[in-house]
Amino acid sequence: MPRKVLNEAQIHPAIRERVAANHADIVEQARAAIAAYDVVVIGMRQNPVVRQARKALAGAAIAYRYLEYGSYLNNWRRRNALKMWSGWPTFPMVFVRGTLVGGAADLRRLIDSGDLRRMLDRN
């Protein structure tokens, strides 16, 4: 399923660097964590669904790295860069061994089915 993203040829050369650099630091932080840790949760303060995901992982005794970017009241532009990069529209964003598995409800299904453990046990 190829995701629709505007082709670089359709971006005027004068603004390509600006588009590429738009909050690139937050995306690079996420990419680095995803490469370094088996489970990464990206979220924001005050979001109860993010807390549910973290609680589910803790309850399953699964170690994870948590990246938090602002709250409902700030940093929404920076968080948008993560949404555009990943294609996932909400928080949390949960990655397992480099693969986006979805949000809290998707994570809960993986834990309950045993699929998360199987993903983590694979070499």
Side-chain angles (χ1 to χ4, degrees), residues 42-76:
I42 301 174
M44 55 188 272
R45 275 187 306 281
Q46 302 169 321
N47 186 317
V49 184
V50 173
R51 280 194 300 273
Q52 289 170 12
R54 295 176 69 197
K55 186 176 179 180
L57 287 166
I62 295 172
Y64 65 95
R65 173 79 167 140
Y66 178 55
L67 302 177
E68 182 176 272
Y69 295 105
S71 68
Y72 288 107
L73 304 175
N74 63 21
N75 288 326
W76 65 269

Side-chain angles (χ1 to χ4, degrees), residues 69-97:
Y69 295 105
S71 68
Y72 288 107
L73 304 175
N74 63 21
N75 288 326
W76 65 269
R77 284 186 179 99
R78 288 177 50 76
R79 286 192 305 275
N80 273 346
L82 291 168
K83 291 178 179 185
M84 293 184 328
W85 168 71
S86 70
W88 191 250
T90 60
F91 291 100
M93 294 175 186
V94 181
F95 292 83
V96 176
R97 292 209 160 165

